[in-house]
Amino acid sequence: MKKRGVGFASIFYGTGYGNGFPDESRATAEIKEDGSIIIYVGVSDVGSGGLSIMWQIAIETLGVNKEFVKIKHNNTSMMHDSGTAAASRQTYNTGNAVLDACSKLKKNMMLASEEVTNLKVLYKQMVTKRIETRVEGYFKATTKEVNLETGQGNPYWPYTFGAQMVTVEVDDETGKVDILDIVSVNDAGKIVNPVLAAGQAIGGCAMGIGYAIMEEVFVNKGEIKNRNFSNYIIPTSKDVPNIKSYFVEDIEGTGPYGAKGLGEPVMIPTAPAIINAIYDAVGVRIYDLPATCDKVLLAIKNNA
Amino acid sequence: MIEVTLKINGKMYTRKINPMLRLIDFIRDEIKLKGTKEGCGEGECGACTVIMNGKTVNSCLVLAASANGAEITTIEGLSNGDHLHPIQEAFIEVGAVQCGYCIPGMILSTKALLDENLDATEAQIKEGISGNLCRCTGYTKIVEGVKIAQKKIINSQEGD
Ligand code: FES
Ligand code: FES
């Protein structure tokens, strides 16, 4: 018989490398003779949206029309390091570096002329008045290694919070788990780009489904046995329900316009919420992921 | 070496090839159309999907020689210059693209589905793209994108 269950899980997760590890981002902002403004920043965007985020932060800070602002990225001969696109750190850390660079450039622009109407003219005024047309921005996260004896320290800052509700259906004759519904709520501070953020949140849930009920690496003497999609199973469109994503925008004072990291935390509550939902449905606790049919069925048999 | 002729995106291409050459290599290496992606090389991920004589195939599983004379559509064949196909427009509008690696295959599977059944239900859409794995999006926005594409195509047909 198919039985339904609902499960919840909540998490908090620190943005950035943490534990006092040097976590720095740099950006350069330059106004050019042709009136364009170039932001040089080492943000790599592999689908996480960092490029759009940096562009938005730059435009907002400079207060100029978006056509005039261009991001140059991923060329180490032209820009400084902004660290990895990892640890959910680009929006917060590199966003802060872009904010810093653009605030400085904006200040210089205002020094040249209170009222900015034409950026080409403004550039000339800046050069005549010997005001810097190219400025550097920098951000360093302030975390501190935890003293394992005293438990004191500041391992991460800031923290992202998330909670999910998952509805499952478990077939108690086959052990198969179907995910029927997921609601994902995240507090990543100010959401800079709602479309991209929802994409991250929903994609994270799909990864969480894989982690909870499908994905497993089999290693034999250091060799991975299931190296392809025929035996390392990830969710398809039929395994993932329509996921609803909501945000609680609790503004983070140290973040660029109040933003925090979002990339990784979004997938963490999914698996525990699914495991809780399985318990709600058929009364068994799975402690060893993934909760594949065989494990669930065996647990049901042992529980009977 | 054998000679094959394939019609790709409306253009004829004749090449002398190794009979073992896969269709994906013909497309990527001989014709230099790099939009078609290889994810797994064993027919599991759908990144290499192209439309061959109206049906989707995994181009990593088809020999170029066996496609001799066939009509192929790749992702490059969808837009008309700068004018994007409604499916492409819809995917961009709704934010269905993250890293983009699955997207050429995803869009071609969608096109083949909608060419056959423009009124596909949500379940049929999910079935239609179930051969295309996506690691990033969780499919929700892709399915939304397909639904928007359906509306766009229907509207444009009514306009005719
Ligand atoms: S590359 Fe052809 S199906 Fe994966
Ligand atoms: S968008 Fe990255 S795999 Fe689909």
Side-chain angles (χ1 to χ4, degrees), chain A residues 189-207:
Chain A
K190 177 73 192 167
I191 297 303
V192 179
N193 187 313
V195 171
L196 294 177
Q200 292 291 306
I202 295 167
C205 293
M207 276 197 188

PDB file of all heavy atoms in Angstrom, chain A residues 189-207:
ATOM      1  N   GLY A 189      19.279  36.753   3.347  1.00  0.00           N
ATOM      2  CA  GLY A 189      19.331  38.215   3.372  1.00  0.00           C
ATOM      3  C   GLY A 189      18.594  38.782   2.177  1.00  0.00           C
ATOM      4  O   GLY A 189      17.644  38.176   1.667  1.00  0.00           O
ATOM      5  N   LYS A 190      19.062  39.928   1.704  1.00  0.00           N
ATOM      6  CA  LYS A 190      18.452  40.556   0.527  1.00  0.00           C
ATOM      7  C   LYS A 190      18.678  39.649  -0.687  1.00  0.00           C
ATOM      8  O   LYS A 190      19.792  39.213  -0.935  1.00  0.00           O
ATOM      9  CB  LYS A 190      19.104  41.915   0.287  1.00  0.00           C
ATOM     10  CG  LYS A 190      18.603  42.631  -0.954  1.00  0.00           C
ATOM     11  CD  LYS A 190      17.205  43.156  -0.745  1.00  0.00           C
ATOM     12  CE  LYS A 190      16.563  43.619  -2.034  1.00  0.00           C
ATOM     13  NZ  LYS A 190      15.110  43.821  -1.846  1.00  0.00           N
ATOM     14  N   ILE A 191      17.621  39.358  -1.415  1.00  0.00           N
ATOM     15  CA  ILE A 191      17.760  38.561  -2.634  1.00  0.00           C
ATOM     16  C   ILE A 191      18.059  39.512  -3.784  1.00  0.00           C
ATOM     17  O   ILE A 191      17.206  40.313  -4.187  1.00  0.00           O
ATOM     18  CB  ILE A 191      16.476  37.743  -2.892  1.00  0.00           C
ATOM     19  CG1 ILE A 191      16.250  36.742  -1.745  1.00  0.00           C
ATOM     20  CG2 ILE A 191      16.566  37.013  -4.227  1.00  0.00           C
ATOM     21  CD1 ILE A 191      17.389  35.768  -1.494  1.00  0.00           C
ATOM     22  N   VAL A 192      19.266  39.429  -4.303  1.00  0.00           N
ATOM     23  CA  VAL A 192      19.696  40.385  -5.331  1.00  0.00           C
ATOM     24  C   VAL A 192      18.987  40.111  -6.648  1.00  0.00           C
ATOM     25  O   VAL A 192      18.573  41.026  -7.350  1.00  0.00           O
ATOM     26  CB  VAL A 192      21.237  40.318  -5.521  1.00  0.00           C
ATOM     27  CG1 VAL A 192      21.686  41.281  -6.610  1.00  0.00           C
ATOM     28  CG2 VAL A 192      21.945  40.628  -4.206  1.00  0.00           C
ATOM     29  N   ASN A 193      18.852  38.825  -6.978  1.00  0.00           N
ATOM     30  CA  ASN A 193      18.197  38.470  -8.245  1.00  0.00           C
ATOM     31  C   ASN A 193      17.202  37.332  -7.995  1.00  0.00           C
ATOM     32  O   ASN A 193      17.582  36.166  -7.906  1.00  0.00           O
ATOM     33  CB  ASN A 193      19.254  38.051  -9.266  1.00  0.00           C
ATOM     34  CG  ASN A 193      18.662  37.846 -10.643  1.00  0.00           C
ATOM     35  OD1 ASN A 193      17.639  37.190 -10.796  1.00  0.00           O
ATOM     36  ND2 ASN A 193      19.288  38.423 -11.641  1.00  0.00           N
ATOM     37  N   PRO A 194      15.920  37.680  -7.865  1.00  0.00           N
ATOM     38  CA  PRO A 194      14.920  36.687  -7.463  1.00  0.00           C
ATOM     39  C   PRO A 194      14.829  35.470  -8.398  1.00  0.00           C
ATOM     40  O   PRO A 194      14.640  34.352  -7.934  1.00  0.00           O
ATOM     41  CB  PRO A 194      13.610  37.475  -7.477  1.00  0.00           C
ATOM     42  CG  PRO A 194      14.013  38.894  -7.294  1.00  0.00           C
ATOM     43  CD  PRO A 194      15.350  39.032  -7.954  1.00  0.00           C
ATOM     44  N   VAL A 195      14.975  35.690  -9.706  1.00  0.00           N
ATOM     45  CA  VAL A 195      14.860  34.563 -10.642  1.00  0.00           C
ATOM     46  C   VAL A 195      16.019  33.590 -10.441  1.00  0.00           C
ATOM     47  O   VAL A 195      15.831  32.376 -10.324  1.00  0.00           O
ATOM     48  CB  VAL A 195      14.812  35.065 -12.104  1.00  0.00           C
ATOM     49  CG1 VAL A 195      14.911  33.901 -13.083  1.00  0.00           C
ATOM     50  CG2 VAL A 195      13.525  35.832 -12.345  1.00  0.00           C
ATOM     51  N   LEU A 196      17.232  34.129 -10.385  1.00  0.00           N
ATOM     52  CA  LEU A 196      18.401  33.263 -10.201  1.00  0.00           C
ATOM     53  C   LEU A 196      18.364  32.584  -8.836  1.00  0.00           C
ATOM     54  O   LEU A 196      18.727  31.413  -8.703  1.00  0.00           O
ATOM     55  CB  LEU A 196      19.697  34.074 -10.322  1.00  0.00           C
ATOM     56  CG  LEU A 196      19.996  34.657 -11.696  1.00  0.00           C
ATOM     57  CD1 LEU A 196      21.269  35.487 -11.647  1.00  0.00           C
ATOM     58  CD2 LEU A 196      20.134  33.554 -12.738  1.00  0.00           C
ATOM     59  N   ALA A 197      17.919  33.313  -7.827  1.00  0.00           N
ATOM     60  CA  ALA A 197      17.881  32.745  -6.478  1.00  0.00           C
ATOM     61  C   ALA A 197      16.900  31.580  -6.416  1.00  0.00           C
ATOM     62  O   ALA A 197      17.205  30.526  -5.841  1.00  0.00           O
ATOM     63  CB  ALA A 197      17.498  33.828  -5.466  1.00  0.00           C
ATOM     64  N   ALA A 198      15.735  31.746  -7.028  1.00  0.00           N
ATOM     65  CA  ALA A 198      14.765  30.643  -7.051  1.00  0.00           C
ATOM     66  C   ALA A 198      15.356  29.445  -7.777  1.00  0.00           C
ATOM     67  O   ALA A 198      15.186  28.298  -7.361  1.00  0.00           O
ATOM     68  CB  ALA A 198      13.462  31.098  -7.724  1.00  0.00           C
ATOM     69  N   GLY A 199      16.099  29.708  -8.857  1.00  0.00           N
ATOM     70  CA  GLY A 199      16.750  28.621  -9.590  1.00  0.00           C
ATOM     71  C   GLY A 199      17.714  27.853  -8.710  1.00  0.00           C
ATOM     72  O   GLY A 199      17.746  26.614  -8.720  1.00  0.00           O
ATOM     73  N   GLN A 200      18.493  28.581  -7.914  1.00  0.00           N
ATOM     74  CA  GLN A 200      19.420  27.925  -6.992  1.00  0.00           C
ATOM     75  C   GLN A 200      18.654  27.086  -5.973  1.00  0.00           C
ATOM     76  O   GLN A 200      18.996  25.934  -5.693  1.00  0.00           O
ATOM     77  CB  GLN A 200      20.274  28.962  -6.247  1.00  0.00           C
ATOM     78  CG  GLN A 200      21.255  29.706  -7.121  1.00  0.00           C
ATOM     79  CD  GLN A 200      22.379  28.824  -7.618  1.00  0.00           C
ATOM     80  OE1 GLN A 200      23.062  28.178  -6.839  1.00  0.00           O
ATOM     81  NE2 GLN A 200      22.547  28.771  -8.915  1.00  0.00           N
ATOM     82  N   ALA A 201      17.606  27.678  -5.402  1.00  0.00           N
ATOM     83  CA  ALA A 201      16.858  27.012  -4.330  1.00  0.00           C
ATOM     84  C   ALA A 201      16.204  25.727  -4.844  1.00  0.00           C
ATOM     85  O   ALA A 201      16.274  24.679  -4.196  1.00  0.00           O
ATOM     86  CB  ALA A 201      15.799  27.962  -3.766  1.00  0.00           C
ATOM     87  N   ILE A 202      15.599  25.812  -6.023  1.00  0.00           N
ATOM     88  CA  ILE A 202      14.891  24.649  -6.566  1.00  0.00           C
ATOM     89  C   ILE A 202      15.888  23.573  -6.991  1.00  0.00           C
ATOM     90  O   ILE A 202      15.715  22.384  -6.707  1.00  0.00           O
ATOM     91  CB  ILE A 202      14.000  25.085  -7.752  1.00  0.00           C
ATOM     92  CG1 ILE A 202      12.894  26.015  -7.249  1.00  0.00           C
ATOM     93  CG2 ILE A 202      13.410  23.888  -8.468  1.00  0.00           C
ATOM     94  CD1 ILE A 202      12.146  26.748  -8.343  1.00  0.00           C
ATOM     95  N   GLY A 203      16.959  24.003  -7.656  1.00  0.00           N
ATOM     96  CA  GLY A 203      17.993  23.050  -8.067  1.00  0.00           C
ATOM     97  C   GLY A 203      18.601  22.337  -6.875  1.00  0.00           C
ATOM     98  O   GLY A 203      18.907  21.138  -6.928  1.00  0.00           O
ATOM     99  N   GLY A 204      18.756  23.069  -5.773  1.00  0.00           N
ATOM    100  CA  GLY A 204      19.296  22.458  -4.552  1.00  0.00           C
ATOM    101  C   GLY A 204      18.409  21.345  -4.049  1.00  0.00           C
ATOM    102  O   GLY A 204      18.893  20.281  -3.629  1.00  0.00           O
ATOM    103  N   CYS A 205      17.095  21.552  -4.102  1.00  0.00           N
ATOM    104  CA  CYS A 205      16.153  20.508  -3.666  1.00  0.00           C
ATOM    105  C   CYS A 205      16.310  19.254  -4.526  1.00  0.00           C
ATOM    106  O   CYS A 205      16.279  18.134  -4.014  1.00  0.00           O
ATOM    107  CB  CYS A 205      14.713  21.000  -3.758  1.00  0.00           C
ATOM    108  SG  CYS A 205      14.323  22.312  -2.601  1.00  0.00           S
ATOM    109  N   ALA A 206      16.467  19.451  -5.845  1.00  0.00           N
ATOM    110  CA  ALA A 206      16.612  18.297  -6.732  1.00  0.00           C
ATOM    111  C   ALA A 206      17.875  17.520  -6.383  1.00  0.00           C
ATOM    112  O   ALA A 206      17.884  16.281  -6.356  1.00  0.00           O
ATOM    113  CB  ALA A 206      16.639  18.752  -8.190  1.00  0.00           C
ATOM    114  N   MET A 207      18.946  18.249  -6.084  1.00  0.00           N
ATOM    115  CA  MET A 207      20.182  17.568  -5.655  1.00  0.00           C
ATOM    116  C   MET A 207      19.948  16.830  -4.349  1.00  0.00           C
ATOM    117  O   MET A 207      20.438  15.718  -4.154  1.00  0.00           O
ATOM    118  CB  MET A 207      21.302  18.577  -5.448  1.00  0.00           C
ATOM    119  CG  MET A 207      22.020  18.928  -6.703  1.00  0.00           C
ATOM    120  SD  MET A 207      23.586  19.717  -6.275  1.00  0.00           S
ATOM    121  CE  MET A 207      24.097  20.221  -7.906  1.00  0.00           C
TER     122      MET A 207
END
